[in-house]
C-alpha cells in the first residue's frame, strides 16, 4: 500500500484526535487487519509494528500471531526485530502457534558462529524473545543451543544466554542438572566481569530454594567477595554466602573479616546494609568448640551496631526501617546490644514515627533497650505512647 500509515502517523493521529481517540484507533485497526495479511513483507512488518504499539495501549492482537511468526522469519534484521518484539509482548503460554517459533529460534541461535559479529545480534533478538515466551517444550528443545552460547566469543551473547537459562530452568527444571557445569564455568573461568555478574545473579536466584546445592561454589564466591569492586555483584555474593552459612557453619568465621572490610570501606548504602546484615547472620555460628567466640567478634559487633545506628539517624524511611531490621537480627546473638544509652533515644523516636511499620519494628526492639535502671521510665513512656496509638497498632 502506497499511502499506508506509519507508526509515527498513528502516534500523531492519536495525539490530534483527543475527543474521538477510540474512533480513530478503531479505524487504524481496521486498516492494520487488512495490511497484516499482505504478501508484501514491508507492509506486513509495518502493520505489525503499529499493532504492537496499540497492544501496549490495551488492544488485542492475538489474531496476528501467525503474521508475527512470519515477520520473525523475515531475512531483514529490521523486520526480525519488529517480529521478535511483537512476540515478546503478545505471546503467552496459551498462544496456539507458539511451538511454531521453535525452528525460527533454533536457526537464529545456531547462526551466531565464529569470532566475529556474524549473526550475533539476530541471536540476541532470539534470546530476548525466548526469555519472555519460554514454555516447557521450548526450554527442552532449545536448551542445548542456548547453553552453547554461554561459551560464545562475544560477551554480549554469553551474558544474554546465561540470564535466559534462568527463565528456561523455571519451565524445565531438569535442564539445570544438564547445564550446571557450563554455568559453573561462567562463574569461575570467564574473564569478562559482566558475564560473571550475570552468572552470580542466576546462581543467587536459583539458590533461594535450596542453598545446599550450591555449597560447592562457596570458594568461587568467596574469591569474588575479596577481589571484586562491582557493588551490585557484591550484593548478590554477600546474600548468597549468607544463605550458605546455616548449611556450612564453618564459613561464618571466615566471612567476618571480609564483610567488616566492606562495611568500613564502601559508600554504597545497599551494599553496606547487606554486609552488616550478613554479619548478624554469621555471628551466631562463630562459636568455637570450647564455647568461646573468636577474638574479633566484639569489635565487629561494635562496628555493626554503630553502622546500624547511622541508619536509624537517616531521614530516609527505608534506611531507618533497614536499621531496625538489622538490630533485630543482631539481637539474636547479642540481646543487650541496645542497652547502651546512645540507642534508647533513637528507638523511642522510632516509636513516634508516622510509618506504622517502623513503629512496629521499634516495638520489637524495646526488650533490648530495657535495663534495670531505665525500665520504669520506659514503661511510663510506653503507656503514654499507648494512649496516643490507634487501630491494630494499639492492640499490638
Amino acid at each position: 500500500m502506497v499511502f499506508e500509515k506509519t507508526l509515527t502517523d498513528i502516534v500523531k493521529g492519536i495525539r490530534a484526535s483527543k475527543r474521538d481517540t477510540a474512533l480513530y484507533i478503531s479505524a487504524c485497526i481496521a486498516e492494520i487487519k487488512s495490511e497484516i495479511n499482505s504478501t508484501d513483507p514491508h507492509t506486513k512488518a509495518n502493520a505489525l509494528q503499529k499493532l504492537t504499539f496499540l497492544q501496549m495501549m490495551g488492544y488485542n492482537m492475538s489474531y496476528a500471531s501467525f503474521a508475527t511468526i512470519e515477520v520473525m522469519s523475515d531475512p531483514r534484521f529490521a523486520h526480525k526485530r519488529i517480529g521478535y518484539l511483537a512476540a515478546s509482548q503478545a505471546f503467552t503460554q496459551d498462544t496456539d502457534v507458539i511451538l511454531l517459533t521453535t525452528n525460527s529460534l533454533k536457526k537464529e541461535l545456531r547462526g551466531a558462529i565464529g569470532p566475529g559479529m556474524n549473526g550475533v545480534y539476530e541471536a540476541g533478538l532470539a534470546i530476548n524473545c525466548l526469555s519472555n515466551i519460554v514454555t516447557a517444550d521450548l526450554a527442552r528443545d532449545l536448551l542445548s543451543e542456548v547453553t552453547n552460547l554461554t561459551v560464545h566469543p562475544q560477551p554480549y551473547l554469553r551474558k544474554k544466554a546465561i540470564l535466559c537459562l534462568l527463565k528456561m530452568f523455571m519451565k524445565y527444571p531438569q535442564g539445570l542438572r544438564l547445564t550446571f557445569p557450563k554455568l559453573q564455568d561462567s562463574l569461575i573461568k570467564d574473564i569478562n566481569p559482566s558475564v560473571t555478574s550475570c552468572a552470580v545473579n542466576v546462581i543467587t536466584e536459583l539458590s533461594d530454594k535450596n542453598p545446599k546445592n550450591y555449597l560447592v561454589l562457596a570458594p568461587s564466591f568467596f574469591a569474588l567477595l575479596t577481589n571484586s569492586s562491582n557493588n551490585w555483584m557484591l550484593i548478590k555474593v554477600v546474600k548468597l554466602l549468607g544463605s550458605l552459612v546455616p548449611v556450612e557453619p564453618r564459613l561464618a568465621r571466615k566471612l567476618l573479616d571480609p564483610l567488616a572490610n566492606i562495611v568500613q570501606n564502601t559508600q554504597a548504602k545497599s551494599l553496606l546494609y547487606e554486609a552488616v546484615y550478613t554479619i548478624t547472620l554469621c555471628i551466631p555460628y562463630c562459636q568455637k568448640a570450647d564455647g568461646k567466640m573468636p577474638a574479633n567478634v566484639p569489635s565487629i559487633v561494635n562496628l555493626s551496631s554503630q553502622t546500624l545506628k547511622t541508619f536509624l539517624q537517616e531521614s530516609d524511611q527505608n534506611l531507618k526501617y533497614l536499621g531496625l531490621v538489622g538490630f533485630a537480627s543482631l539481637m539474636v546473638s547479642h540481646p543487650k546490644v541496645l542497652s547502651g544509652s546512645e540507642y534508647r533515644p533513637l528507638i523511642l523516636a522510632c516509636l513516634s514515627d508516622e510509618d506504622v511499620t517502623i513503629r512496629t519494628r521499634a516495638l520489637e526492639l524495646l526488650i533490648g533497650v530495657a535495663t534495670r535502671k531505665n525500665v520504669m521510665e520506659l514503661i511510663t513512656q510506653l503507656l503514654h505512647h499507648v494512649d496516643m496509638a490507634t487501630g491494630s497498632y494499639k492492640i499490638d
Side-chain angles (χ1 to χ4, degrees):
M1 292 186 179
V2 180
F3 301 108
E4 64 189 28
K5 293 185 180 72
T6 64
L7 177 58
T8 303
D9 296 331
I10 294 278
V11 173
K12 289 180 178 179
I14 290 173
R15 290 176 177 174
S17 56
K18 294 181 179 180
R19 293 186 178 180
D20 52 351
T21 303
L23 185 62
Y24 175 78
I25 292 177
S26 296
C28 290
I29 290 176
E31 294 176 4
I32 290 170
K33 285 182 176 180
S34 173
E35 295 168 2
I36 204 77
N37 295 318
S38 172
T39 55
D40 179 50
H42 293 283
T43 301
K44 188 185 291 288
N46 182 51
L48 186 61
Q49 186 179 40
K50 293 184 290 185
L51 192 56
T52 304
F53 172 75
L54 294 177
Q55 191 266 350
M56 289 190 287
M57 297 179 66
Y59 291 88
N60 178 45
M61 62 174 289
S62 59
Y63 55 85
S65 297
F66 191 77
T68 300
I69 294 177
E70 290 180 321
V71 176
M72 288 168 61
S73 304
D74 195 291
R76 298 175 183 82
F77 180 79
H79 292 176
K80 271 185 200 298
R81 185 166 55 180
I82 293 171
Y84 278 112
L85 175 61
S88 298
Q89 284 190 194
F91 283 10
T92 68
Q93 301 291 301
D94 300 322
T95 301
D96 294 336
V97 299
I98 198 166
L99 283 178
L100 297 179
T101 64
T102 305
N103 287 334
S104 178
L105 290 168
K106 189 170 289 192
K107 178 183 175 182
E108 304 295 0
L109 295 172
R110 290 178 175 177
I113 56 175
M117 299 300 291
N118 182 41
V120 167
Y121 294 117
E122 289 83 353
L125 286 179
I127 292 174
N128 288 347
C129 180
L130 178 60
S131 65
N132 284 284
I133 69 171
V134 64
T135 63
D137 291 333
L138 283 176
R140 184 188 63 248
D141 295 339
L142 299 173
L143 183 65
S144 60
E145 281 75 19
V146 175
T147 304
N148 289 338
L149 291 179
T150 61
V151 293
H152 192 274
Q154 294 296 331
Y156 169 82
L157 272 186
R158 295 203 302 274
K159 61 186 180 181
K160 280 181 176 288
I162 290 169
L163 292 174
C164 184
L165 282 175
L166 176 61
K167 291 293 189 75
M168 299 177 79
F169 295 153
M170 290 178 177
K171 299 295 182 182
Y172 181 56
Q174 299 93 318
L176 176 58
R177 186 172 297 175
L178 299 172
T179 60
F180 186 73
K182 289 287 183 70
L183 193 59
Q184 189 174 359
D185 287 345
S186 299
L187 177 68
I188 299 172
K189 299 179 182 179
D190 204 297
I191 60 173
N192 188 283
S194 65
V195 177
T196 303
S197 181
C198 290
V200 168
N201 276 280
V202 170
I203 294 171
T204 303
E205 292 297 323
L206 292 171
S207 69
D208 280 347
K209 293 185 178 180
N210 193 353
K212 185 178 180 180
N213 291 342
Y214 305 91
L215 188 59
V216 66
L217 296 176
S220 302
F221 278 98
F222 187 81
L224 289 173
L225 179 69
T226 53
N227 298 322
S228 177
S229 58
N230 183 332
N231 286 344
W232 294 112
M233 184 168 67
L234 281 174
I235 290 172
K236 296 285 188 180
V237 170
V238 168
K239 281 184 175 181
L240 178 59
L241 288 172
S243 70
L244 293 178
V245 168
V247 180
E248 178 50 80
R250 292 176 299 178
L251 185 61
R253 290 198 294 272
K254 195 171 183 180
L255 288 176
L256 285 183
D257 286 334
L259 291 173
N261 184 55
I262 290 176
V263 173
Q264 291 170 329
N265 294 294
T266 187
Q267 298 298 315
K269 291 289 186 182
S270 51
L271 177 57
L272 179 62
Y273 172 75
E274 290 298 339
V276 172
Y277 185 73
T278 303
I279 286 174
T280 68
L281 298 178
C282 290
I283 290 174
Y285 294 93
C286 288
Q287 196 171 35
K288 297 180 180 178
D290 59 4
K292 295 181 180 180
M293 283 288 191
N296 61 344
V297 167
S299 61
I300 290 177
V301 169
N302 182 62
L303 174 65
S304 300
S305 59
Q306 291 299 317
T307 303
L308 292 171
K309 176 185 171 184
T310 63
F311 277 73
L312 295 185
Q313 294 170 331
E314 293 281 351
S315 57
D316 189 311
Q317 298 290 81
N318 295 320
L319 294 178
K320 192 178 294 184
Y321 180 82
L322 290 176
L324 294 170
V325 173
F327 270 124
S329 182
L330 187 57
M331 283 174 60
V332 172
S333 58
H334 290 72
K336 295 299 181 182
V337 70
L338 291 175
S339 59
S341 58
E342 58 184 314
Y343 299 109
R344 186 179 59 181
L346 294 172
I347 302 300
L348 291 176
C350 290
L351 283 175
S352 303
D353 197 277
E354 295 178 358
D355 191 331
V356 66
T357 58
I358 290 179
R359 297 200 302 268
T360 303
R361 282 289 183 179
L363 271 176
E364 296 172 0
L365 301 181
L366 277 183
I367 190 172
V369 177
T371 64
R372 289 184 178 181
K373 293 182 179 180
N374 65 21
V375 66
M376 294 306 297
E377 180 185 352
L378 280 178
I379 291 173
T380 302
Q381 293 184 5
L382 192 56
L383 288 173
H384 175 71
H385 185 67
V386 169
D387 292 336
M388 304 293 291
T390 59
S392 60
Y393 174 67
K394 184 173 184 176
I395 298 173
D396 293 341

